[in-house]
């Protein structure tokens, strides 16, 4: 079974969910699916489908890179850490100094989401810096 | 009297034969239609096009796969005997550009390493290594954290993710 066939439920789901810029490419025996979802929920749904096709993502034959359409600058995001504070850093990287913190459940203002991993945000107390995108949920 | 009758008869005969002859030289719309069908039958890319004949005027409608097929069809129709003029109302199928598939961008190991240290930082017990773009994840992780980690690692554009994590 070709990789495209194996992951057809995923590409079908992506198409049905209206994922834009959907690209499905096979290179050196690995399938690369790229696209942009309108929201984080759609992205999570697609990862669920991936998990159904390839339980616990064990096969190593797919790189699924679904981005979420950036929210408008100035819109809000919620801090979705497990329970701890979210570090706000000077630059995009954990090697960068911490310039502030945002509490679990707090709201921050999104300033720039051009980096997939690190978003530039402003906390409620006015600190500006980079936070890891995994812990932010656009409202 | 007899002579007149004969003259009239000859005239009628002449007229009739002329009419018949002229009919033969001037094909009917049905004849033209049949001739067109034969003339265009071998033109590729014209299966969605058709021609209608009325009083020797041919109207082409439908769609051709390309401009060449359209002009070939039009020429073939014009060359059919009895066709007075051709009105070509057909269009050409828009060309769908075959998407140029750009090669997949794979991040360099340095960039992957930096991104990985950020991605695994909060998952105690997870180790990540990179070689030639291939990310290998080892150690332990909670099942509920696995999608989060995989999403972060995938967004770094690795060549491959080798997930050897033990799920707690």
């Amino acid at each position: 079974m070709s990789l495209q066939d194996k992951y057809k439920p995923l590409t079908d789901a992506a198409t049905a969910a209206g994922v834009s810029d959907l690209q499905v490419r096979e290179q050196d025996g690995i399938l690369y699916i790229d696209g942009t979802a309108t929201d984080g929920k759609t992205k999570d749904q697609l990862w669920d489908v991936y998990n159904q096709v390839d339980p616990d993502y064990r096969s190593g034959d797919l790189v699924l890179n679904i981005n979420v359409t950036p929210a408008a600058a100035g819109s809000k995001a919620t801090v979705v850490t497990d329970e701890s504070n979210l570090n706000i850093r000077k630059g995009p990287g954990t090697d960068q100094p911490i310039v502030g913190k945002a509490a679990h459940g707090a709201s921050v203002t999104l300033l720039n989401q051009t980096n997939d991993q690190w978003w530039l945000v402003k906390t409620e107390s006015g600190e500006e810096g980079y936070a890891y995108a995994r812990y932010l949920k656009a409202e | 009297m007899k002579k007149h009758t004969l003259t009239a008869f000859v005239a009628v005969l002449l007229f009739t034969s002329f009419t018949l002859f002229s009919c033969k030289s001037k094909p009917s719309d049905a004849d033209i239609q049949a001739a067109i069908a034969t003339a265009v039958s071998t033109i590729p890319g014209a299966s969605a096009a058709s021609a209608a004949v009325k009083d020797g005027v041919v109207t082409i409608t439908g769609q051709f796969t390309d401009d060449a097929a359209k002009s070939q069809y039009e020429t073939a129709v014009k060359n059919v005997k009895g066709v007075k003029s051709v009105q070509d109302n057909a269009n050409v199928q828009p060309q769908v550009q075959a998407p140029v598939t750009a090669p997949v961008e794979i991040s360099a190991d340095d960039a992957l390493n930096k991104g990985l240290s950020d991605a695994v930082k909060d998952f105690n017990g997870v180790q990540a290594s990179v070689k030639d773009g291939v990310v290998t994840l080892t150690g332990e992780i909670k099942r509920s954290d696995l999608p989060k980690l995989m999403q972060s690692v995938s967004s770094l554009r690795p060549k491959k993710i080798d997930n050897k994590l033990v799920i707690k």
Side-chain angles (χ1 to χ4, degrees):
Chain A
M1 183 159 73
S2 78
L3 285 174
Q4 275 97 334
D5 288 342
K6 178 179 175 184
Y7 289 106
K8 194 170 181 295
L10 184 53
T11 47
D12 285 351
T15 307
V19 168
S20 57
D21 307 324
L22 186 65
Q23 284 199 89
V24 181
R25 295 173 288 183
E26 192 173 338
Q27 194 167 295
D28 299 329
I30 294 166
L31 194 67
Y32 297 83
I33 300 178
D34 294 82
T36 305
T38 47
D39 52 42
K41 200 177 151 206
T42 305
K43 177 179 173 172
D44 288 340
Q45 277 168 357
L46 294 175
W47 276 86
D48 283 346
V49 176
Y50 177 12
N51 200 17
Q52 283 159 24
V53 176
D54 180 29
D56 294 338
Y57 321 109
R58 289 289 183 198
S59 303
D61 54 5
L62 172 69
V63 176
L64 177 64
N65 186 19
I66 301 292
N67 293 316
V68 175
T69 311
S75 59
K76 301 282 184 184
T78 310
V79 175
V80 289
T81 51
D82 282 345
E83 52 190 26
S84 56
N85 289 333
L86 176 64
N87 290 332
I88 310 294
R89 295 175 183 274
K90 192 179 179 184
T94 49
D95 52 353
Q96 296 288 311
I98 296 168
V99 296
K101 287 188 186 285
H104 168 77
S107 181
V108 297
T109 306
L110 294 170
L111 302 177
N112 191 320
Q113 292 169 275
T114 45
N115 184 310
D116 290 342
Q117 287 84 39
W118 292 92
W119 291 350
L120 183 62
V121 300
K122 190 174 183 179
T123 65
E124 283 169 324
S125 53
E127 298 148 339
E128 258 186 52
Y130 291 83
Y132 205 55
R134 184 198 289 154
Y135 302 114
L136 291 171
K137 188 166 176 258
E139 286 168 19
Chain B
M1 191 72 176
K2 221 176 180 184
K3 201 180 173 185
H4 281 144
T5 315
L6 191 68
T7 313
F9 179 72
V10 168
V12 166
L13 197 70
L14 273 172
F15 180 76
T16 312
S17 65
F18 177 77
T19 316
L20 279 173
F21 180 75
S22 69
C23 264
K24 213 175 171 186
S25 75
K26 195 179 164 202
S28 70
D29 285 351
D31 294 336
I32 295 171
Q33 189 80 58
I36 289 174
T38 310
V40 303
S41 62
T42 56
I43 299 174
S47 60
S50 59
V53 188
K54 189 167 177 13
D55 302 330
V57 176
V58 181
T59 306
I60 303 171
T61 53
Q63 194 172 61
F64 293 95
T65 54
D66 52 51
D67 288 322
K70 190 172 186 281
S71 64
Q72 207 184 339
Y73 193 100
E74 202 181 309
T75 307
V77 169
K78 277 179 184 160
N79 288 338
V80 168
K81 196 175 175 191
V83 172
K84 288 182 194 161
S85 66
V86 177
Q87 177 69 40
D88 193 347
N89 294 340
N91 57 33
V92 173
Q93 199 177 313
Q95 291 299 302
V96 180
Q97 284 275 317
V100 182
T101 41
V104 178
E105 279 174 51
I106 308 291
S107 297
D109 284 3
D110 287 350
L112 283 171
N113 262 318
K114 185 175 183 299
L116 277 174
S117 64
D118 297 341
V120 304
K121 179 184 164 281
D122 294 333
F123 298 118
N124 290 326
V126 174
Q127 292 91 45
S129 63
V130 182
K131 193 179 188 314
D132 300 329
V134 178
V135 172
T136 305
L137 301 172
T138 51
E140 285 189 336
I141 195 166
K142 280 194 289 183
R143 174 160 275 125
S144 59
D145 284 340
L146 183 62
K148 295 180 205 166
L149 177 63
M150 289 295 290
Q151 289 179 14
S152 298
V153 176
S154 298
S155 71
L156 300 171
R157 302 191 171 280
K159 180 182 166 72
K160 176 183 175 172
I161 304 171
D162 202 354
N163 172 17
K164 292 181 175 168
L165 287 162
V166 174
I167 293 167
K168 286 191 277 189

